[in-house]
Amino acid sequence: MSERQPTLRERRHSETQRLIQAHAVRLFTDHGYDAVTVADVAEAAGVSAMTVYRRFPTKEDLVLIDQPAQLIAEHVAASSATQPLVRRVGSALIAAATASTGSNGGEPAANERFLRDCLRLMVSTPALRARHLDSQYVLQQAIVEALGEDASDPDAAFRAQAATSACIAAMHTALTRWVEDDGHTELPELIAQALTASFGDDIIAAHQKD
């Protein structure tokens, strides 16, 4: 069965949402998060403040990007349950970063600069940092569920949570470095380096063979 295509109304809604967020991130980057109001964003995007609030209920929502939790979880769920937990999670994080940034030998993704600007704001702005950590917790829960460990077994659940937390911490370190060096090193490579530093060469060597 073919996948349902978005309607014209849905496409326009998505385009307006992307336009608003692009202007917001540009203004926040140029003038500082605290110095820019929602009204400023609305004026730059050519829409009403009410339109902005309908799509982004809070100012923080203008910056926060959905981590590809569903994509990562799908990669984890599709991986072999015979592999070590950190290998399953680490490989999924690398694959999702490759898809998000276009680091697959083709043209770079058009939104790569936008992603770095969002991450830079989330890391450097106190008002956004807590929400960023919340989104990482949501990602952790999605991965743990995708691992399919027996929830009734406390030890198995603990191992899944510990492995996932460690992998996400390595990814966060890679994301920070990616922002600091302005994308000079591709994000999947930085995540691979962080995972290798945390767990050894075997996790990446196995991923590259798959």
Side-chain angles (χ1 to χ4, degrees):
M1 184 173 62
S2 61
E3 184 177 351
R4 185 184 76 85
Q5 297 300 312
T7 65
L8 177 60
R9 181 177 182 180
E10 289 171 337
R11 290 198 300 271
R12 286 178 174 171
H13 182 279
S14 296
E15 289 170 1
T16 300
Q17 186 161 306
R18 285 194 297 270
L19 175 68
I20 293 170
Q21 194 169 32
H23 279 289
V25 171
R26 176 182 59 79
L27 290 172
F28 295 152
T29 299
D30 291 345
H31 304 291
Y33 177 80
D34 292 329
V36 177
T37 67
V38 171
D40 294 331
V41 173
E43 182 179 359
V47 299
S48 68
M50 185 59 66
T51 297
V52 176
Y53 279 119
R54 278 202 298 266
R55 289 161 172 77
F56 302 94
T58 70
K59 185 179 174 182
E60 291 90 343
D61 290 326
L62 285 162
V63 180
L64 295 173
I65 52 176
D66 292 331
Q67 296 197 50
Q70 181 177 354
L71 176 61
I72 293 171
E74 288 172 355
H75 279 292
V76 171
S79 63
S80 172
T82 62
Q83 294 182 346
L85 293 172
V86 292
R87 185 178 299 167
R88 296 177 66 189
V89 177
S91 296
L93 295 177
I94 293 172
T98 299
S100 298
T101 61
S103 305
N104 55 4
E107 292 295 322
N111 66 341
E112 187 172 328
R113 166 63 62 180
F114 174 76
L115 292 174
R116 280 200 303 277
D117 287 342
C118 286
L119 287 167
R120 185 177 290 108
L121 286 165
M122 285 188 281
V123 170
S124 64
T125 307
L128 297 170
R129 207 170 291 145
R131 291 286 300 274
H132 179 48
L133 292 176
D134 285 344
S135 70
Q136 290 195 317
Y137 177 75
V138 171
L139 175 60
Q140 176 186 337
Q141 295 302 104
I143 292 174
V144 169
E145 183 176 342
L147 285 169
E149 297 295 313
D150 185 357
S152 64
D153 182 347
D155 290 337
F158 174 75
R159 287 192 295 271
Q161 291 167 353
T164 300
S165 295
C167 288
I168 290 177
M171 180 187 70
H172 179 74
T173 302
L175 288 171
T176 302
R177 178 62 179 273
W178 190 55
V179 168
E180 289 173 347
D181 71 5
D182 201 30
H184 289 146
T185 304
E186 292 185 348
L187 181 57
E189 174 60 25
L190 287 174
I191 294 176
Q193 290 178 17
L195 290 167
T196 297
S198 300
F199 306 109
D201 294 335
D202 182 60
I203 183 175
I204 303 305
H207 168 75
Q208 291 173 337
K209 294 174 184 176
D210 291 341

